[in-house]
Amino acid sequence: MHHSLRLSLAILFFLPALSANAGDVKDTEVYARLKASLDAVPAIDTHSHLRGPSDIQRAIPRDPNSQRPLHSVLSWVWTRSYYTWAHPLPPWPKDDYFETWWTAAQKDFDNSRARSAYRSLLPIFSDLYGVDFETLTVEQAKELNARMEKNYVDPDWPEEVIVKRANVELMVIDSFIRPMQVRDHFPFTVSVCNVKWYINGFHPSEFKSGKGPDPYEFAKHHNLPVESLDDYVAVLDRIIAEAKKAGAVGLKSPIAYDRTLQFDWVPKERAEQAFGKPSSQLTPAQIKDFQDYIFWQTAVLAAKHDLPFQIHTGHALIPGSNPMNLVNVIQGNPRTKFVLFHGGFPWVGESGMIALKYPNVYLDSVWMPTLSYTMGKRAFKEWLDMFSSNRIMWGSDMATVEGTYGATVYARQCITEALAEKVVAKELREEDALRIGRQILRENALEVYPALRDRVKKSTDQ
Ligand SMILES: [Zn+2]
């Protein structure tokens, strides 16, 4: 009894020291030094959905008849972020009063206080507007919205926020559709060629909805025949060549939103069975054969044109988006640079294993800290345990100017925190942590996407 009491007292005595050790790494000097240095790195954001200058100012949806805006700028920044994915936020109210929306939104915000999709946007308000979003009164929120509305119509605001405040030198944009026909660009953006549309090219009728670019129209315009599957692949080859000429720095496939990432190697004769037939005359297995064949051909073309192949993995259609599904394609195309997006979230260990095994695989942490900061930090630490640090990148994955700011600050913090924890645990020297942070934020992108090198003016230490 006496003995165990003494033990308890001893534990009590040492508890403060223990909890100080287990405290927040962000309170350490190591973190402060790393943070200051890494914040100064002009970052390269490898994936964003930011629209061009004129699109941004038209972004808030309007009532088609009355032209009444269907959001305030503040409600739009939240609505157009990942906050609203599978999570409610009240729509803009019919009475058009900001107060009505704000009051209705409070319950949803309360249910989201711990979510990374919520917390990643808080730096917008603290850094750009000097307010604490979590304690705003309705009057203060209204005033904040008025200040945001003013910035929204200022043509210099995007560059001010993204280049000057977030210190991003270049952003790689997925405009979803035709990279060679994006009408306007910011000087700090470059494009990728989104290739998801082409895997359904077995018949021209697949493109009649007008949702995506039509390779048959492209072929007509360029006087290319499309009589056979070989012809069709030659058209894709030309599309990619033209996209590269127009400035595309890579290929992008978000196909995990539409189907499984399991792509069989299909002999040409089998894929040919679908070519030239509308989907009504095809079985699902024949369509999959065709899609699988084209995906493999796209991987071959990516290597041919020296364009990294960005592939959305994880999330999306959950069954089928596990990056493990891609192992056969990766193994079969050793000359193709595969950039696995979102680190395969939540299969971050699996994607780490794939990168460990295949040197032509790069992991892009884009979106990961916004989905789960904790898992993001864990992933950075595990990946650095597993494979070389020159194969990890980051991206903001946002569509609004302010959202980009929040996601960038949040990602920088997550990367810095992971590195600082390794230094504090004596698993990494501080100078190496700094160098690795620079690689992830900037230098790896320049190495993986050679075309970006012509576009940068700053240096890492600037
Ligand atoms: Zn995206």
Side-chain angles (χ1 to χ4, degrees), residues 317-369:
L317 296 181
I318 300 171
S321 72
N322 189 319
M324 292 294 281
N325 283 310
L326 289 169
V327 167
N328 62 333
V329 185
I330 290 165
Q331 182 162 339
N333 292 279
R335 288 181 50 242
T336 305
K337 287 180 188 170
F338 291 93
V339 183
L340 305 187
F341 266 18
H342 320 307
F345 181 97
W347 296 285
V348 294
E350 282 82 343
S351 44
M353 177 61 219
I354 296 169
L356 187 157
K357 175 122 192 220
Y358 299 102
N360 57 327
V361 168
Y362 302 81
L363 297 191
D364 197 320
S365 63
V366 51
W367 195 16
M368 214 173 55

Side-chain angles (χ1 to χ4, degrees), residues 47 49 82 252 342 397:
H47 180 65
H49 299 292
Y82 294 111
K252 160 80 194 293
H342 320 307
D397 211 352

Side-chain angles (χ1 to χ4, degrees), residues 49 51 80 174-178 194 196-197 213 252 254:
H49 299 292
R51 310 295 288 266
R80 194 69 186 84
D174 173 5
S175 66
F176 295 118
I177 29 177
R178 287 164 247 220
N194 190 321
K196 88 157 194 173
W197 312 98
K252 160 80 194 293

